[in-house]
Amino acid sequence: MYILKNLPFIGFLSACFTSCQGFVKSNPEKSYAASTMELMKLLEVEDELVDNLNGYVKTLKMKFNLMERSLIDMSIEHREMKSEYESYLGNPLNSFRLIHRLHTSWRKWYQYAIRIENNALVHIENARLMRKMLPTSSDLQQACRGIHDLMSFYDLKPEELAAGNLAGHSQPETGLTAYDCLALGEFGVQNRKDDLAEAWYNLSLTRFEDIFDKYQVHKAWALLLAKNKQLTEAFHHFENKPEEIVASNEVIHFEGVLATKQNCTAVIQKPSRLHCRYNTSTTPFTRIAPLKMEELSLDPYMVVFHDVVYDTEIDGMLNSSNFGISESVSGLKSEVRTSKDSHIVDSKTLNERVTDMTGLSMEMSDPFSLINYGLGGHFILHHDFHEYTNTTRLKRGDRIATVLFYLGEVDSGGATIFPMLNITVTPKKGSAVFWYNLHNSGAVNSKTLHSACPVISGSKYVLTKWINELPQMFVTPCMKDSNLHLSQIE
């Protein structure tokens, strides 16, 4: 019996719990953590659960053994058939038996395999009914609080408790598991005891062996560090994610924040193999009014145009715009983007200029978006393409390219970075950076990942134009470069 084996320890633990100041409140509801008698009832519940589970396993084993014996017989005949299939199938009786076996016998085995036995259903129903007797999340919170109170009163360390040492009473068999340590770490985070939480996380890591279990701890630890602005340390924990695990939105968000911080502070060298020239070929107008163009990348194609928006145009846009705040989501401060933006009435002149710059049609494209980044204003790593499903994309089209105009100088910070290309574009009044978001095949180009670094000093104004792919059918015909970009298409 579990009760007799652990009775001395339960009495000691319960006495410590109930003696801790502020732990037991005047609450008429049952509390497992605060009563020895209630804890003994839990052991009785565990006895019943173990017996019930043993019965369920026994039922499954009987089913498994029957299927295994039948599979051995079928495998013998199958191997005989494969070794001499011509002579085997030359016998019409064997041919009949093969057809009958695959049509009828295997179907029956499938039905038997998925059928749940009545005995198994009884055990499952018993387990469901016993759920009402199990501790609630509130009980677990109280138990965690009791452990933390013990540590405070008796100056115990997480390492001691994890090893089963309680104020001089050593019981190694009562040592905590990796999941126990993880639960205590999560409780520490919830109660703002970050140092204790990290200690419990560390103990949990040393006890887990499976890499997927370990990543649970790394993820929880990284989120704690990121919350405390220890971004570099958090990044090291995120790096332990197994390839088989799909990152959650929360993890993707913080990875974006961390990568933005790292790349915004890095020293980026401009590529030396590309050059500056006058663009005279995109439209007939550029032949008589060429545009100053600086190449930055060939994959994706990216250039900076200089002196393509004039001071009078900039003043007109800034004076006539009503900026709406975009620094909050549902009333909470956003870590993704801190800025103010305004959609301005599309200017025919500016649209024609973008066509002169890019050679692309402005039909179906998004309206110009005027964005202001103030002190600390930023936008974490992101792509501009939507990556719609095929049905939606055929109707709406994706963003084939982006044009980003800089409408003012920034004293410090505020650069646009492309970490996968090792490119940094510094805001310069009147200039614009243009790049393709899609390959010629239509596949998205993941290398266009970019971010707006925080503004340190000054105010940053940018004007964005996202160009739709659908009207470009005859301007940029789809080219069969799928072999070059399999990763984007799969």
Side-chain angles (χ1 to χ4, degrees), residues 270-276 294-303 423:
K270 289 187 177 181
S272 57
R273 57 185 174 81
L274 304 176
H275 55 274
C276 299
E294 178 184 356
E295 293 181 340
L296 298 182
S297 170
L298 297 179
D299 180 25
Y301 183 68
M302 180 185 298
V303 297
I423 290 174

Side-chain angles (χ1 to χ4, degrees), residues 386-436:
H386 291 297
E387 212 167 2
Y388 289 132
T389 59
N390 288 337
T391 304
T392 304
R393 187 172 176 181
L394 287 173
K395 295 178 180 178
R396 298 184 182 179
D398 210 335
R399 294 168 172 172
I400 188 174
T402 298
V403 179
L404 184 65
F405 291 92
Y406 296 105
L407 306 185
E409 310 284 353
V410 178
D411 296 336
S412 182
T416 305
I417 59 169
F418 297 81
M420 297 183 71
L421 302 172
N422 200 33
I423 290 174
T424 294
V425 182
T426 303
K428 182 181 178 183
K429 188 176 182 180
S431 66
V433 58
F434 161 67
W435 70 88
Y436 279 95

Side-chain angles (χ1 to χ4, degrees), residues 16 36 40 59 125 150 357 364 472:
C16 290
T36 303
M40 292 177 65
T59 301
E125 178 62 16
L150 283 175
M357 294 161 58
M364 296 182 65
Q472 321 305 332

Side-chain angles (χ1 to χ4, degrees), residues 9 12 16 150-151 153-157 159-174:
F9 172 67
F12 173 78
C16 290
L150 283 175
M151 296 172 63
F153 271 79
Y154 298 104
D155 195 25
L156 300 175
K157 306 298 181 187
E159 297 82 6
E160 297 174 323
L161 291 176
N165 296 328
L166 276 171
H169 298 270
S170 179
Q171 291 183 301
E173 67 276 10
T174 66

